């Protein structure tokens, strides 16, 4: 039997719509949420991501401003712009689109964003708060993944969640969120032995590797919930996930598509974090 499709595009639209009362309440207090996006270089994928984020902001009544820099920009120039944005009362959220060029220390740049405007949730203080179970901003992709799982009604407490990928922006924070939901969590990576065997034990399997099609039907327990975070471009420019969708949908209980799964939810959670940052700035 084919898996139930979890529609991230529809859920993202619902999340954005659900923010309208909060945006209206802020307007009544004379505040409009504002997001500043920093884009360095001319990587096409980064450009598309930032464009989607700016568009989602506009649709939700969030003001956005784009700060573009050439790939050769100095780290100092980026730090100075971030310092100015940290001081700007009209800016409530600051997003630095990754990846940054190799000569720029990404850790230092991300760490320069005020933790109160860190709507991506990458600042060490916010990651630390997440670790302690009292997050201010949850990183957008893991937050979106959790919303997709909960929206589908997939139980987490006592279930085994297996995450393939251990980055600081997806795998690790997602593991913390799933732990908070009482799942038993296994994190896998490129050095994991017996990956397929572990994956097959998962009630919830999340793939976040950037290796197109690496999760096949033989890695999925019948009835499992499969969330595909991966996004890679084929030579024809088509977006592909980490999961072999056609094969896995025959085995899984639930599955997210690429595109139209985690991607739109990441954007929606960024808008939600920006609205929250605005509320916190008035508290
Ligand atoms: P990273 O490259 O930082 O991390 C990839 C992870 O996958 C690493 O932990 C790596 O292991 C692991 N990995 C790679 N190959 C294998 C393998 N063959 N078997 C097991 N594990 C493997 O990527 P990100 O976390 O930043 O992103 C992952 C994917 O998610 C990318 O495709 C990215 O484009 C996508 N993404 C999508 C978003 C969205 O909104 N839809 C948002 C963010 C990311 P090791 O640590 O050992 O190297």
């Amino acid at each position: 039997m084919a898996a139930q499709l979890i529609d991230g595009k529809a859920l993202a639209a619902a999340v954005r719509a659900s923010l309208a009362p909060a945006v209206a309440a802020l307007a009544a207090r004379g505040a409009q949420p504002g997001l500043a996006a920093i884009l360095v270089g001319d990587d096409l994928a980064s450009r598309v991501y930032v464009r989607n984020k700016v568009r989602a902001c506009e649709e939700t009544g969030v003001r956005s401003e784009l700060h573009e820099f050439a790939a050769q920009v100095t780290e100092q120039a980026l730090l100075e712009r971030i310092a100015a944005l940290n001081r700007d009362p009209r800016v409530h959220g600051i997003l630095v689109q990754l990846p940054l060029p190799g000569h720029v220390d990404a850790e230092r740049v991300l760490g320069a964003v005020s933790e109160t405007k860190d709507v991506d949730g990458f600042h060490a203080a916010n990651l630390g708060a997440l670790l302690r179970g009292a997050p201010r901003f949850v990183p957008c992709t893991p937050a979106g993944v959790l919303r997709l799982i909960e929206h589908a009604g997939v139980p987490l407490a006592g279930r085994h969640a297996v995450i393939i990928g251990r980055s600081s922006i997806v795998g690790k924070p997602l593991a913390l969120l799933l732990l908070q939901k009482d799942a038993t969590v296994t994190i896998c990576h490129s050095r994991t032995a017996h990956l397929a065997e572990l994956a097959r034990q998962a009630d919830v399997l999340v793939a976040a590797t950037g290796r197109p099609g690496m999760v096949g039907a033989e890695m999925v327990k019948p009835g499992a919930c499969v969330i595909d975070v991966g996004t890679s471009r084929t030579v024809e420019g088509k977006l592909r996930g980490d999961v072999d969708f056609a094969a896995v949908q025959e085995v899984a209980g639930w599955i997210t598509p690429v595109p139209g799964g985690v991607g739109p939810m990441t954007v929606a959670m960024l808008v939600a974090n920006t609205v929250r940052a605005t509320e916190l700035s008035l508290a």
Side-chain angles (χ1 to χ4, degrees):
M1 201 178 82
Q4 218 172 298
L5 193 76
I6 311 178
D7 185 344
K9 205 171 161 196
L11 182 58
V15 168
R16 288 199 309 273
S18 75
L19 295 171
V23 173
L26 286 166
R29 299 170 72 186
Q32 184 186 19
L35 175 77
I38 295 181
L39 178 62
V40 181
D42 43 30
D43 177 65
L44 187 63
S46 293
R47 229 158 243 290
V48 171
Y49 294 144
V50 168
R51 196 180 59 208
N52 290 344
K53 290 168 184 175
V54 165
R55 190 185 300 148
C57 281
E58 280 161 10
E59 285 169 11
T60 322
V62 172
R63 194 183 66 82
S64 65
E65 46 188 71
L66 180 58
H67 297 255
E68 289 189 73
F69 294 88
Q72 309 86 309
V73 66
T74 63
E75 188 176 303
Q76 189 55 32
L78 288 176
L79 292 173
E80 281 167 15
R81 183 65 60 92
I82 289 171
L85 293 170
N86 282 341
R87 288 191 300 268
D88 187 341
R90 290 191 351 124
V91 171
H92 304 92
I94 301 170
L95 129 84
V96 180
Q97 183 63 45
L98 299 175
L100 291 171
H103 67 277
V104 173
D105 182 340
E107 283 297 317
R108 194 174 301 147
V109 169
L110 293 176
V113 173
S114 162
E115 58 192 78
T116 60
K117 298 191 178 187
D118 169 41
V119 285
D120 258 335
F122 295 161
H123 192 289
N126 287 320
L127 286 172
L130 176 63
L131 185 70
R132 293 174 63 174
R136 174 174 18 208
F137 302 117
V138 176
C140 302
T141 301
V145 168
L146 183 61
R147 289 287 283 264
L148 285 164
I149 296 170
E150 290 186 321
H151 173 75
V154 177
L156 282 170
R159 306 301 165 103
H160 189 188
V162 175
I163 304 166
I164 314 178
R166 58 173 162 181
S167 74
S168 301
I169 64 171
V170 187
K172 285 184 202 165
L174 178 60
L176 295 173
L177 290 180
L178 295 176
L179 273 178
Q180 278 164 18
K181 296 292 173 185
D182 296 324
T184 301
V185 182
T186 301
I187 308 180
C188 302
H189 47 81
S190 67
R191 307 289 298 274
T192 295
H194 313 298
L195 178 68
E197 210 174 286
L198 284 168
R200 245 190 335 265
Q201 293 170 20
D203 301 302
V204 174
L205 179 63
V206 181
T209 67
R211 303 268 179 266
M214 73 160 285
V215 174
E218 75 291 352
M219 290 173 71
V220 176
K221 175 158 116 179
C225 172
V226 179
I227 306 287
D228 192 351
V229 181
T231 44
S232 310
R233 293 240 169 230
T234 63
V235 275
E236 300 85 36
K238 274 187 73 178
L239 220 49
R240 275 207 70 191
D242 291 353
V243 175
D244 179 351
F245 185 89
V248 170
Q249 69 158 346
E250 297 297 331
V251 182
W254 297 265
I255 191 167
T256 59
V258 175
V262 174
M265 283 303 291
T266 297
V267 177
M269 299 323 287
L270 175 76
V271 181
N273 277 350
T274 305
V275 172
R276 180 165 157 70
T278 314
E279 290 169 342
L280 290 173
S281 76
L282 300 177

